[in-house]
Amino acid sequence: MAEQSCNPQTLDFIILETDPEMAVVEDDIRADLEKIGITVNTRKLDQEAYIEAERNGTYNMLFTRTWGAPYDPHSYLTSWEVPSHVEYSAIGGMEKPLTRDLLLDKIANVQEELDLLTRAEKWSEILNDIHQQVIFLPLWGTRTPYVINRRLDNFKPSPDAFAYPLKDVSIVDGSSTVTVSPGSGGSLFTSVGPMNPHQYFPNQIFASGWIYEGLVSYGNDGIIAPALATAWDVEPYKNGQRATFKLRQGVKFHDGSDWNCTVAKLNFDHILSDTVRQRHSWYGTPNKLTSWSCNDDGDFVLETSVPFYPLLQELSYARPLVFASAAAFSEGLDSHPDTHNSCNPGDFGSKWDYLEQNVTCMGLSAPVGTGPFKFVNRTYLAGSNEEVDETVIFAAHKDYWGKVPEIEYLVIKHFESTDEIYRALETGDLDMTLGTGPLTPTQVRNIQFYNSTKFDVVRGEVLQHAVLVMNTNKEPTNDIKVRKAITHAINKAEFINKEFSGLEQPVNQLLPLSAPYCDVDLNPKWNYDIEKALLLNCGDDNADGSISAGAIAGIVIAVLMVLGLGGFIMHMINREKQGKPLFTSEQVEKGEEA
């Protein structure tokens, strides 16, 4: 049927070439869409080209993941207003009356709502608006995999989707030096980057979490826990809020210097300078903060322009509002935010290069924080132009204010392929893989089923959803009918079971139900339904999954006929009751009309 009568469509599908999960399902998606006459041209791109395609909107379909806790839904959806993020281009051509600006206004407005019930109602409306546009096809809920050699114990997945928590891991047997292969954005590890926590790619967020800390941290069940602040108070102030943080005493940076309010203010001065804060517009706090200062008691005081309910949660992020030692700034405590900023030259990203016209980026002399691990050194892969790390070594921070890690040295190793990583685990050259990317789903499954005596496979809760993004701003996916056809044609349950052996489960909504305000029953379900998909792309040109105008007219005529017949019958009954039947026996016999 597809070859004979379907509307021929061609889609540009981009995926990250180093993403092993997408690699195993791309052909399944392509085969499903071929059944309804849609040809998929897949482009496997490197990181730089992938980001460029996101920014320029040069795609019809793109595979990505939602951000997970603690970013969903507020920060993730706020980020859609940034042109360099894929969602910005994807929502550019939505069905009226919804527009990109209207949706973004709703997302901004709900974060200023302090009444819990009203806030929940507003989020429900926003999520339903997005759902009806059929922009995102949720595929599966990602339970991040960790493979741990059983000579180690007490590893617990983080409630933060991007953190690899190793400070509580205990050594059961063997060396206190632990070798790891971390996932990097769902791909193989290449580099930790400069490890500047005030910027983004190529800086790796998991490394930032080992080295640096913020005022608060994100705990289980969404609890905001003390970190470099031990207590806080948030109160209404003028048109917004004022938050006062009691800072932890006796904390040492990795270089032996003291943590205090002066250092806290220095970091905020640089991150939130008038120029640099523009780079952090992907979430709310940098835009809402109006002042940060130290009071006479040495407390750190923040003020916002409007009420802003996600403030504490956003202060728990691993970047950018975390703290580096003053000694790492180019001029120490005297470093000016405009002339000696902590930003690295050239690392704003191509979309943000213009910012360096108004600020001088001097970077940090070294990655020095207060976290449980400190940076020791790295070696670069030969011939990589210092762009690929062969090894990166961290050491336990012996003066850490919390429990000092049992891992004395933490060594990241680079591998060229998932097969190399698999062999390194088997030979004992590698102790752990962390997150999605180092191993294929099949390799994780094989270790779990056939090598469980040597390795423990730990999976986190579903924090992120793997999703297919469809671009409403590029033909043919600018047509909601085409997006619906794609959604109904993809049999995700079948290929998820085949490729992941039941270790992942299909999902039907953009964000996990466990995310705040996201436990909402959204309809219709946009499930696999090949007959609907064929109808939409291969049937009546007017088919869109709803009833056509002609069908509606036919129904109206039929209803009127039924109503007319019903009225006539009721008239007959009433005449009979009055003793004035419409038809007498004589009239019937003579064939006369009443």
Side-chain angles (χ1 to χ4, degrees), residues 406-417:
E406 287 189 30
I407 297 175
E408 187 171 0
Y409 290 101
L410 183 60
V411 181
I412 297 177
K413 287 189 173 184
H414 169 75
F415 296 90
E416 292 291 338
S417 68

PDB file of all heavy atoms in Angstrom, residues 406-417:
ATOM      1  N   GLU A 406      36.619   6.962  50.378  1.00  0.00           N
ATOM      2  CA  GLU A 406      37.557   5.840  50.479  1.00  0.00           C
ATOM      3  C   GLU A 406      38.370   5.685  49.200  1.00  0.00           C
ATOM      4  O   GLU A 406      39.473   5.142  49.225  1.00  0.00           O
ATOM      5  CB  GLU A 406      36.805   4.538  50.776  1.00  0.00           C
ATOM      6  CG  GLU A 406      36.278   4.433  52.193  1.00  0.00           C
ATOM      7  CD  GLU A 406      35.737   3.046  52.503  1.00  0.00           C
ATOM      8  OE1 GLU A 406      36.250   2.058  51.919  1.00  0.00           O
ATOM      9  OE2 GLU A 406      34.797   2.945  53.310  1.00  0.00           O
ATOM     10  N   ILE A 407      37.811   6.125  48.076  1.00  0.00           N
ATOM     11  CA  ILE A 407      38.569   6.088  46.825  1.00  0.00           C
ATOM     12  C   ILE A 407      39.698   7.107  46.941  1.00  0.00           C
ATOM     13  O   ILE A 407      39.460   8.309  47.032  1.00  0.00           O
ATOM     14  CB  ILE A 407      37.671   6.424  45.623  1.00  0.00           C
ATOM     15  CG1 ILE A 407      36.572   5.373  45.460  1.00  0.00           C
ATOM     16  CG2 ILE A 407      38.510   6.518  44.351  1.00  0.00           C
ATOM     17  CD1 ILE A 407      35.565   5.697  44.362  1.00  0.00           C
ATOM     18  N   GLU A 408      40.926   6.615  46.932  1.00  0.00           N
ATOM     19  CA  GLU A 408      42.060   7.529  47.088  1.00  0.00           C
ATOM     20  C   GLU A 408      42.381   8.231  45.771  1.00  0.00           C
ATOM     21  O   GLU A 408      42.635   9.446  45.750  1.00  0.00           O
ATOM     22  CB  GLU A 408      43.288   6.765  47.586  1.00  0.00           C
ATOM     23  CG  GLU A 408      44.447   7.674  47.938  1.00  0.00           C
ATOM     24  CD  GLU A 408      45.571   6.925  48.637  1.00  0.00           C
ATOM     25  OE1 GLU A 408      45.439   5.693  48.848  1.00  0.00           O
ATOM     26  OE2 GLU A 408      46.572   7.571  48.979  1.00  0.00           O
ATOM     27  N   TYR A 409      42.365   7.451  44.683  1.00  0.00           N
ATOM     28  CA  TYR A 409      42.573   8.046  43.356  1.00  0.00           C
ATOM     29  C   TYR A 409      41.480   7.544  42.417  1.00  0.00           C
ATOM     30  O   TYR A 409      41.166   6.357  42.382  1.00  0.00           O
ATOM     31  CB  TYR A 409      43.948   7.690  42.788  1.00  0.00           C
ATOM     32  CG  TYR A 409      45.078   8.370  43.506  1.00  0.00           C
ATOM     33  CD1 TYR A 409      45.836   7.682  44.455  1.00  0.00           C
ATOM     34  CD2 TYR A 409      45.384   9.708  43.260  1.00  0.00           C
ATOM     35  CE1 TYR A 409      46.874   8.308  45.134  1.00  0.00           C
ATOM     36  CE2 TYR A 409      46.417  10.340  43.935  1.00  0.00           C
ATOM     37  CZ  TYR A 409      47.152   9.644  44.867  1.00  0.00           C
ATOM     38  OH  TYR A 409      48.167  10.268  45.546  1.00  0.00           O
ATOM     39  N   LEU A 410      40.928   8.473  41.662  1.00  0.00           N
ATOM     40  CA  LEU A 410      39.870   8.192  40.706  1.00  0.00           C
ATOM     41  C   LEU A 410      40.429   8.490  39.320  1.00  0.00           C
ATOM     42  O   LEU A 410      40.822   9.622  39.028  1.00  0.00           O
ATOM     43  CB  LEU A 410      38.664   9.074  41.018  1.00  0.00           C
ATOM     44  CG  LEU A 410      37.395   8.928  40.204  1.00  0.00           C
ATOM     45  CD1 LEU A 410      36.840   7.506  40.332  1.00  0.00           C
ATOM     46  CD2 LEU A 410      36.359   9.944  40.677  1.00  0.00           C
ATOM     47  N   VAL A 411      40.488   7.472  38.463  1.00  0.00           N
ATOM     48  CA  VAL A 411      41.147   7.610  37.167  1.00  0.00           C
ATOM     49  C   VAL A 411      40.130   7.389  36.044  1.00  0.00           C
ATOM     50  O   VAL A 411      39.549   6.307  35.915  1.00  0.00           O
ATOM     51  CB  VAL A 411      42.309   6.605  37.010  1.00  0.00           C
ATOM     52  CG1 VAL A 411      42.996   6.797  35.659  1.00  0.00           C
ATOM     53  CG2 VAL A 411      43.304   6.760  38.161  1.00  0.00           C
ATOM     54  N   ILE A 412      39.907   8.440  35.244  1.00  0.00           N
ATOM     55  CA  ILE A 412      39.078   8.305  34.047  1.00  0.00           C
ATOM     56  C   ILE A 412      39.961   7.813  32.906  1.00  0.00           C
ATOM     57  O   ILE A 412      41.044   8.358  32.672  1.00  0.00           O
ATOM     58  CB  ILE A 412      38.445   9.647  33.646  1.00  0.00           C
ATOM     59  CG1 ILE A 412      37.497  10.149  34.727  1.00  0.00           C
ATOM     60  CG2 ILE A 412      37.706   9.514  32.324  1.00  0.00           C
ATOM     61  CD1 ILE A 412      36.887  11.504  34.413  1.00  0.00           C
ATOM     62  N   LYS A 413      39.486   6.789  32.213  1.00  0.00           N
ATOM     63  CA  LYS A 413      40.212   6.263  31.062  1.00  0.00           C
ATOM     64  C   LYS A 413      39.403   6.468  29.790  1.00  0.00           C
ATOM     65  O   LYS A 413      38.179   6.313  29.782  1.00  0.00           O
ATOM     66  CB  LYS A 413      40.512   4.766  31.235  1.00  0.00           C
ATOM     67  CG  LYS A 413      41.606   4.465  32.243  1.00  0.00           C
ATOM     68  CD  LYS A 413      41.982   2.983  32.187  1.00  0.00           C
ATOM     69  CE  LYS A 413      43.193   2.670  33.048  1.00  0.00           C
ATOM     70  NZ  LYS A 413      43.623   1.252  32.914  1.00  0.00           N
ATOM     71  N   HIS A 414      40.112   6.815  28.725  1.00  0.00           N
ATOM     72  CA  HIS A 414      39.476   6.980  27.419  1.00  0.00           C
ATOM     73  C   HIS A 414      39.545   5.670  26.634  1.00  0.00           C
ATOM     74  O   HIS A 414      40.566   4.982  26.632  1.00  0.00           O
ATOM     75  CB  HIS A 414      40.174   8.078  26.617  1.00  0.00           C
ATOM     76  CG  HIS A 414      39.734   8.116  25.172  1.00  0.00           C
ATOM     77  ND1 HIS A 414      38.513   8.625  24.796  1.00  0.00           N
ATOM     78  CD2 HIS A 414      40.355   7.697  24.041  1.00  0.00           C
ATOM     79  CE1 HIS A 414      38.404   8.523  23.477  1.00  0.00           C
ATOM     80  NE2 HIS A 414      39.494   7.965  23.001  1.00  0.00           N
ATOM     81  N   PHE A 415      38.451   5.335  25.950  1.00  0.00           N
ATOM     82  CA  PHE A 415      38.396   4.164  25.076  1.00  0.00           C
ATOM     83  C   PHE A 415      37.796   4.577  23.742  1.00  0.00           C
ATOM     84  O   PHE A 415      36.952   5.480  23.673  1.00  0.00           O
ATOM     85  CB  PHE A 415      37.553   3.052  25.707  1.00  0.00           C
ATOM     86  CG  PHE A 415      38.120   2.509  26.989  1.00  0.00           C
ATOM     87  CD1 PHE A 415      37.770   3.077  28.209  1.00  0.00           C
ATOM     88  CD2 PHE A 415      39.006   1.444  26.980  1.00  0.00           C
ATOM     89  CE1 PHE A 415      38.293   2.588  29.398  1.00  0.00           C
ATOM     90  CE2 PHE A 415      39.528   0.941  28.158  1.00  0.00           C
ATOM     91  CZ  PHE A 415      39.172   1.518  29.372  1.00  0.00           C
ATOM     92  N   GLU A 416      38.210   3.894  22.701  1.00  0.00           N
ATOM     93  CA  GLU A 416      37.757   4.243  21.357  1.00  0.00           C
ATOM     94  C   GLU A 416      36.394   3.652  21.011  1.00  0.00           C
ATOM     95  O   GLU A 416      35.725   4.121  20.098  1.00  0.00           O
ATOM     96  CB  GLU A 416      38.784   3.777  20.320  1.00  0.00           C
ATOM     97  CG  GLU A 416      40.093   4.529  20.356  1.00  0.00           C
ATOM     98  CD  GLU A 416      39.967   5.973  19.902  1.00  0.00           C
ATOM     99  OE1 GLU A 416      38.991   6.283  19.176  1.00  0.00           O
ATOM    100  OE2 GLU A 416      40.823   6.794  20.282  1.00  0.00           O
ATOM    101  N   SER A 417      35.984   2.609  21.744  1.00  0.00           N
ATOM    102  CA  SER A 417      34.723   1.950  21.386  1.00  0.00           C
ATOM    103  C   SER A 417      34.120   1.278  22.613  1.00  0.00           C
ATOM    104  O   SER A 417      34.802   1.036  23.618  1.00  0.00           O
ATOM    105  CB  SER A 417      34.957   0.899  20.294  1.00  0.00           C
ATOM    106  OG  SER A 417      35.715  -0.194  20.814  1.00  0.00           O
TER     107      SER A 417
END
